[in-house]
Amino acid sequence: MSDSAPRRVRVRAPELVGKGGWLNTGEKQYTLADLRGRIVVLDFWTFCCINCLHVLDELRELEHKHPDTVVVIGVHSPKFAHEAEHGAVVDAVERYGVEHPVLDDPELATWKQYAVRAWPTLVVVDPEGYVVAQHAGEGHVHAIERLVAELEAEHGAKGTLRRGDGPYVAPEPEATVLRFPGKALLLPSGNFLVSDTTRHQLVELAADGETVVRRIGQGDHRGMTDSTSVRSRFNEPQGLALLPDGSVVVADTVNHTLRRYDPEAGRTTTLAGTGYQWMRGDDTSGPAREVNLSSPWDVAWWQGKVWIAMAGIHQLWTYDPDDGTVAVAAGTTNEGLVDGPAAESWFAQPSGLAATPERLWIADSETSALRWMDLDGTVHTAVGTGLFDFGHRDGPAEQALLQHPLGVTALPDGSVAVSDTYNHALRRYDPATGEVTTLATDLREPSDAVLVGDDLVVVESARHRLTRLRLPEEAVRVESVAHRTQRAATEVAPGGLRLDVVFQAPAGQKLDTRHGPSTRLLVSATPPELLAEGEGAGTDLSRTLHLDPAVTEGVLHVSAMAASCDDDPAIEYPACHVHQQDWGVPVRLVEGGADRLPLVLAGMDDQAL
């Protein structure tokens, strides 16, 4: 887009509609007219998406700085079948500390009206009800904050800015021992250590799984403080792993760090991470306290190192306690399901780990897959086919389906139990037979399980408790259910298709070309045969693809990145930002279909709507 293009184009914002209604408003239903006079930021998100969770954290600072002019509205737009359940959205809003109104849009009605194609997408609406900007992906809030300052000045002068309290109404808190716990660990004492995620604490429970022995961390408020058990602070902790010295490593997810909790000393320290989120171009190895991490979700002790499920960038990392370093162990940061050598493999939000002497098991949540790594560093898939197929189906592993699993537990007979989170079930995969069965149903978002003798103690995250189950001799029979992510396919013409990723550097910035090209585009397809030409990586954000007419439908996978820096010669050390997003675009090949596919990474509304 040319630098001479108009700053903002007058396009009226479509109405906000959603069958699920409004949350965090005291049951009041809102229209855009009710928000006239305020700067509205629409956040199209879904709660399975790690990038969406990153944006929630980015928006908190914007909301804090502009409480009387900016109204953030979350538009929940589901990917998985479970995410279309209203109760699950209610849970997610509390689980992730969303402190703004949320419109539950299970049928993607508002998503379609705004021509959104990716999670997350941010749309800015000015005080007069016009769309003025659209950004796909994370890392754009700094640009939106500049735009907010411009809009405040412009509409303050015009008299069209209305200051005041926003529409957010906090829900009444519920008194439970745990609140959306994430992971659990059996301590040598026989007690359980649980990451009480939403309360930002660790909780030690007695062997009954109910009685509180102690709480680690101040809780209720986010933070990152190394101190005593009472004074420590965490930020949505998740994974836990017991180290050989008896201490526990904690995946402090939203702090982007690994913490160490010493039960004997009663103290918490930081092992790895700086507290800042890893961004493309950052170091991928080095002294652990000097390297940024990104949403570590689970940890496991394997082969003398701590293995980290780095959900935020779709990789596995390791922490070596002997020399205090971290390093990438597997994954390219591309999101998807690709097996093979560790350095060439692709993951999609790995969220659960379990170690045996020969294998590291991985719950790869966004591909609804169970993966594993062998001692040679090769990645394999046991169950799962990709980003858009999921369900509840038992049988041979190549036909079985899971739905966004978050945990995996090694069993004594060599099989594994999978916490099949969005199916509310505990599943079992047996490598000896290649069969998947169901161990238990009617759980509520199980996110982890701990083996205790002949029992499995399951973390029922959305029931806020640990549930003890006896390992059954026979599996439960479940009727097969299969799903594919339901988004309207884009009708495109067979043959040549022009792919344009639209990016305009935010106001006051320019593309960062100091070290070569500042943009990157990666394209692939499911099935691979869909793309006759155009697959692979390049630096141009536009590319002509050739689609095979023999393949009538599929999904185009597009990953784009652009780097921009402050455009002011007076600034000695300009701030630079990386903008990146992955799209999975369902397409259907039809005669007379579109011959151009525009995807907005960052730009104005005239390209997006």
Side-chain angles (χ1 to χ4, degrees):
M1 188 169 178
S2 152
D3 290 341
S4 62
R7 182 69 185 91
R8 290 190 290 273
V9 179
R10 304 284 283 181
V11 175
R12 179 67 68 180
E15 190 51 82
L16 304 177
V17 292
K19 188 175 181 180
W22 290 80
L23 306 176
N24 282 354
T25 62
E27 300 186 353
K28 181 175 179 179
Q29 307 299 296
Y30 279 87
T31 66
L32 276 175
D34 298 324
L35 304 172
R36 196 64 51 83
R38 311 299 290 274
I39 301 164
V40 178
V41 179
L42 302 178
D43 175 21
F44 290 86
W45 70 298
T46 188
F47 62 78
C48 72
C49 162
I50 192 67
N51 309 93
C52 299
L53 303 185
H54 291 166
V55 168
L56 287 177
D57 294 320
E58 293 175 359
L59 288 171
R60 288 190 177 98
E61 186 174 356
L62 179 72
E63 294 173 280
H64 178 74
K65 288 183 177 179
H66 304 271
D68 61 342
T69 59
V70 172
V71 174
V72 175
I73 302 292
V75 183
H76 189 267
S77 312
K79 171 187 174 181
F80 288 97
H82 171 60
E83 293 176 302
E85 299 174 12
H86 182 70
V89 181
V90 173
D91 285 345
V93 167
E94 180 186 353
R95 181 195 301 271
Y96 297 115
V98 180
E99 296 183 351
H100 52 246
V102 173
L103 175 63
D104 182 11
D105 183 18
E107 297 176 349
L108 303 180
T110 298
W111 166 288
K112 295 171 186 174
Q113 287 296 313
Y114 281 82
V116 175
R117 293 185 181 274
W119 297 279
T121 291
L122 296 173
V123 176
V124 182
V125 180
D126 75 10
E128 294 180 285
Y130 292 94
V131 173
V132 292
Q134 178 168 328
H135 302 269
E138 57 182 287
H140 298 293
V141 173
H142 67 281
I144 291 175
E145 186 167 0
R146 289 191 180 194
L147 179 56
V148 164
E150 293 179 15
L151 292 171
E152 286 177 339
E154 176 185 337
H155 289 273
K158 290 173 63 175
T160 51
L161 184 69
R162 176 170 58 88
R163 295 179 180 267
D165 293 335
Y168 170 68
V169 177
E172 289 294 324
E174 294 187 37
T176 54
V177 172
L178 303 172
R179 204 68 191 163
F180 297 104
K183 305 287 185 181
L185 175 72
L186 183 65
L187 294 169
S189 64
N191 290 347
F192 295 96
L193 188 66
V194 184
S195 54
D196 196 16
T197 305
T198 298
R199 292 209 179 110
H200 315 295
Q201 287 183 320
L202 309 180
V203 179
E204 184 177 342
L205 300 176
D208 61 8
E210 299 178 4
T211 305
V212 176
V213 176
R214 64 178 58 84
R215 293 183 181 273
I216 300 97
Q218 296 184 48
D220 295 325
H221 297 288
R222 304 167 185 273
M224 193 176 89
T225 304
D226 287 335
S227 188
T228 62
S229 296
V230 175
R231 297 181 62 83
S232 299
R233 283 195 182 277
F234 298 91
N235 195 345
E236 296 185 24
Q238 286 282 349
L240 306 167
L242 190 67
L243 298 180
D245 64 3
S247 65
V248 177
V249 60
V250 182
D252 196 8
T253 303
V254 180
N255 275 329
H256 309 293
T257 57
L258 297 188
R259 313 287 291 283
R260 176 179 178 269
Y261 167 59
D262 186 339
E264 289 192 9
R267 295 193 66 86
T268 300
T269 54
T270 298
L271 290 178
T274 64
Y276 293 96
Q277 182 185 343
W278 185 95
M279 302 296 286
R280 193 173 297 277
D282 289 352
D283 291 337
T284 55
S285 64
R289 293 291 303 273
E290 299 175 15
V291 177
N292 297 335
L293 309 182
S294 182
S295 299
W297 206 274
D298 202 6
V299 283
W301 179 256
W302 191 54
Q303 299 296 310
K305 295 180 181 179
V306 175
W307 287 71
I308 310 163
M310 202 73 78
I313 46 176
H314 319 300
Q315 290 183 314
L316 302 182
W317 286 40
T318 58
Y319 165 73
D320 188 337
D322 290 337
D323 59 13
T325 59
V326 291
V328 173
T332 63
T333 75
N334 295 323
E335 184 178 15
L337 193 154
V338 176
D339 290 337
E344 301 172 12
S345 59
W346 292 22
F347 297 92
Q349 290 180 214
S351 302
L353 299 175
T356 68
E358 295 81 22
R359 297 183 179 186
L360 180 69
W361 292 98
I362 305 143
D364 202 28
S365 62
E366 277 293 285
T367 54
S368 298
L370 173 65
R371 319 276 297 277
W372 54 280
M373 178 185 285
D374 62 26
L375 295 174
D376 294 330
T378 302
V379 177
H380 310 261
T381 296
V383 182
T385 59
L387 286 164
F388 301 100
D389 295 303
F390 57 92
H392 191 151
R393 180 191 291 156
D394 290 335
E398 61 271 15
Q399 300 174 13
L401 293 172
L402 309 171
Q403 186 179 178
H404 199 79
L406 291 178
V408 58
T409 307
L411 301 179
D413 64 356
S415 67
V416 292
V418 180
S419 295
D420 195 6
T421 309
Y422 288 3
N423 279 328
H424 310 299
L426 196 66
R427 312 286 293 283
R428 176 177 179 265
Y429 168 69
D430 186 350
T433 64
E435 292 285 317
V436 175
T437 54
T438 297
L439 297 176
T441 60
D442 299 322
L443 301 169
R444 187 66 185 171
E445 292 195 18
S447 55
D448 196 19
V450 179
L451 184 67
V452 184
D454 293 328
D455 294 343
L456 275 172
V457 175
V458 181
V459 179
E460 276 198 274
S461 186
R463 282 201 177 110
H464 320 293
R465 70 186 189 191
L466 303 187
T467 298
R468 186 179 292 263
L469 303 174
R470 177 56 56 97
L471 275 172
E473 294 182 5
E474 294 185 3
V476 178
R477 183 176 297 277
V478 175
E479 184 177 352
S480 175
V481 178
H483 298 284
R484 175 172 281 264
T485 300
Q486 293 301 308
R487 282 185 290 156
T490 299
E491 293 189 346
V492 298
L497 176 67
R498 181 69 175 178
L499 172 64
D500 290 318
V501 174
V502 179
F503 176 77
Q504 176 183 347
Q509 294 188 21
K510 64 178 180 180
L511 287 174
D512 178 17
T513 57
R514 294 171 299 169
H515 307 293
S518 61
T519 56
R520 178 177 179 269
L521 179 65
L522 177 67
V523 181
S524 61
T526 301
E529 296 77 19
L530 174 64
L531 267 181
E533 292 181 27
E535 183 179 13
T539 58
D540 193 339
L541 291 182
S542 294
R543 185 181 303 178
T544 298
L545 312 178
H546 289 276
L547 307 182
D548 187 344
V551 182
T552 57
E553 63 179 29
V555 178
L556 289 175
H557 304 285
V558 181
S559 178
M561 183 275 291
S564 62
C565 294
D566 290 338
D567 186 16
D568 184 348
I571 301 176
E572 184 176 0
Y573 300 105
C576 296
H577 307 274
V578 175
H579 317 266
Q580 58 189 74
Q581 176 60 27
D582 297 326
W583 292 267
V585 183
V587 295
R588 183 179 299 114
L589 276 59
V590 297
E591 293 297 336
D595 60 4
R596 179 176 177 265
L597 177 62
L599 300 175
V600 177
L601 178 59
M604 298 300 103
D605 55 278
D606 57 332
Q607 282 124 353
L609 299 177

